[in-house]
């Protein structure tokens, strides 16, 4: 019985060792013959004899020939990338502009993209293409137009980028200008322009004021000339009587002004033929 027990234990250990060996072999061999492609990804297969296979491999678990085939996983999702550039406008103003791009590769052209650009195709294509398109497009517009026509310029940049990226097998989902800052020279020019505009408006106001004053002087002169003509005609018709009437009116105005003054007192004449008097009283001697 003891011998039988030892034999059974030996067999069990042997079986366990074989299972462990099989698991170890499987864990080494399986990654060499199968691979997984996750969602939003495609695999480009390189074959040691045929080179890069013409068709991309979709999602799921697939088999490959170990040591002869090697898969390369590539993303087909729309991925964002920001490109910054410093360029000049039509009126020679420097501007710092940032462009946000959403792009993805064309699935049918993935083998060609991998063959010519590799896995990091975005980093190799977009910076150079975007800088060239940005510089060519911004140079068509003045600095002020970049602000007022921002959506139009963004659409123009997107259209031109789509044409350029198609040659590399890339599709553009969206293009937007996210950052637009002018240099100090532009701010100085804007300030100088505002000062010049304000000075021009002030000079225009001065000219208009002088014109109004000239018109007023002409009107006053015409009025005085017309009044002089009226007085002359009256003197011609009435003689010295008009002057006497004006003297009496002036005397009444002076008397009325003095009568309401606090330091002036009216003293009528005792006789009917005497002269009336306006006596000035000093408040300090009352």
């Amino acid at each position: 019985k003891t011998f039988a027990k030892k034999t059974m234990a030996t067999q069990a250990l042997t079986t366990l060792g074989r299972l462990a060996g099989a698991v170890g072999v499987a864990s080494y061999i399986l990654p060499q013959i199968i691979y997984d492609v996750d969602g939003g990804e495609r695999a480009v297969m390189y074959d040691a004899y045929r080179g890069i296979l013409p068709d991309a491999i979709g999602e799921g678990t697939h088999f490959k020939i170990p040591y002869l085939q090697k898969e390369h996983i590539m993303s087909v999702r729309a991925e964002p990338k920001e490109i910054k550039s410093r360029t000049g406008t039509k009126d020679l103003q420097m501007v710092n502009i940032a462009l946000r791009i959403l792009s993805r590769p064309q699935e049918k052209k993935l083998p060609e993209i991998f063959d010519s650009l590799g896995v990091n195709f975005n980093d190799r294509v977009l910076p150079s293409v975007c800088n060239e398109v940005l510089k060519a497009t911004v140079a068509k517009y003045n600095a002020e137009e970049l602000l007022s026509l921002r959506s139009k310029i963004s659409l123009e940049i997107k259209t031109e980028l789509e044409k350029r990226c198609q040659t590399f097998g890339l599709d553009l989902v969206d293009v937007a200008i996210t950052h637009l800052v002018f240099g100090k020279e532009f701010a100085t020019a804007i300030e100088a322009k505002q000062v010049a505009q304000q000075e021009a408006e002030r000079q225009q106001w001065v000219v208009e004021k002088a014109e109004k004053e000239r018109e007023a002087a002409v009107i006053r002169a015409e009025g005085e000339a017309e009044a002089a003509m009226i007085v002359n005609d009256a003197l011609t018709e009435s003689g010295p009587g008009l002057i006497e009437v004006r003297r009496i009116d002036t005397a009444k105005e002076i008397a009325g002004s003095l009568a309401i003054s606090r330091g002036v007192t009216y003293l009528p004449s005792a006789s009917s033929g005497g002269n009336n008097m306006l006596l000035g009283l000093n408040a300090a001697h009352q």
Side-chain angles (χ1 to χ4, degrees):
K1 292 182 179 180
T2 302
F3 178 76
K5 290 180 180 181
K6 291 182 179 180
T7 303
M8 293 177 62
T10 302
Q11 292 177 350
L13 290 174
T14 302
T15 303
L16 185 60
R18 290 176 180 176
L19 289 175
V23 170
V25 172
S27 63
Y28 174 78
I29 294 178
L30 285 178
Q32 304 297 323
I33 62 175
I34 64 174
Y35 62 94
D36 294 326
V37 180
D38 296 331
E41 296 178 341
R42 298 294 183 270
V44 175
M45 184 63 69
Y46 172 77
D47 189 278
Y49 292 103
R50 295 177 293 173
I52 298 175
L53 300 184
D55 296 325
I57 301 170
E59 303 164 0
T61 301
H62 307 276
F63 291 94
K64 65 179 179 179
I65 302 173
Y67 305 108
L68 295 180
Q69 292 182 335
K70 171 64 177 177
E71 78 282 0
H72 298 275
I73 306 299
M74 302 178 66
S75 175
V76 292
R77 299 186 183 96
E79 297 182 356
K81 189 171 185 62
E82 186 177 60
I83 306 297
K84 296 181 179 179
S85 177
R86 179 176 173 84
T87 182
T89 61
K90 186 178 181 181
D91 53 353
L92 304 180
Q93 296 292 338
M94 298 306 296
V95 56
N96 295 315
I97 186 170
L99 204 64
R100 183 178 182 273
I101 302 173
L102 280 176
S103 64
R104 60 187 174 197
Q106 299 176 9
E107 185 175 343
K108 294 181 179 180
K109 294 186 177 181
L110 276 178
E112 298 178 14
I113 295 173
F114 175 77
D115 188 22
S116 58
L117 301 173
V119 177
N120 299 323
F121 49 87
N122 277 336
D123 295 333
R124 299 186 178 184
V125 174
L126 294 180
S128 58
V129 172
C130 289
N131 272 289
E132 181 181 355
V133 172
L134 276 175
K135 292 181 183 297
T137 305
V138 171
K140 299 178 183 178
Y141 298 92
N142 296 328
E144 295 181 358
E145 292 175 339
L146 290 180
L147 299 175
S148 59
L149 303 176
R150 184 166 178 167
S151 58
K152 176 185 176 182
I153 296 173
S154 180
L155 180 61
E156 183 176 346
I157 292 174
K158 179 181 179 182
T159 302
E160 187 63 28
L161 280 177
E162 285 177 344
K163 295 179 182 178
R164 296 295 306 277
C165 290
Q166 284 292 328
T167 59
F168 297 97
L170 301 179
D171 290 333
L172 293 185
V173 179
D174 184 58
V175 176
I177 298 175
T178 58
H179 188 69
L180 185 64
V181 176
F182 294 97
K184 295 181 179 180
E185 298 83 0
F186 180 72
T188 304
I190 290 295
E191 183 178 356
K193 181 179 179 181
Q194 291 177 346
V195 171
Q197 185 176 0
Q198 292 174 358
E199 181 64 20
E201 291 177 355
R202 192 184 72 83
Q203 294 296 335
Q204 183 178 1
W205 177 81
V206 171
V207 172
E208 292 178 353
K209 180 182 178 182
E211 183 68 21
K212 296 296 183 182
E213 291 178 350
R214 186 187 67 82
E215 293 177 357
V218 171
I219 294 174
R220 282 196 302 269
E222 292 176 351
E224 292 174 357
E226 185 177 354
M229 292 178 62
I230 294 173
V231 172
N232 187 34
D233 294 341
L235 288 173
T236 302
E237 295 178 0
S238 304
L242 178 62
I243 298 176
E244 185 65 22
V245 171
R246 290 291 179 89
R247 186 184 68 80
I248 294 171
D249 291 338
T250 304
K252 287 181 178 181
E253 292 178 359
I254 294 173
S257 299
L258 293 174
I260 62 175
S261 300
R262 298 180 60 185
V264 178
T265 301
Y266 173 71
L267 296 177
S269 175
S271 61
S272 59
N275 295 324
N276 299 327
M277 297 179 63
L278 291 173
L279 181 62
L281 299 177
N282 191 349
H285 295 85
Q286 289 183 354

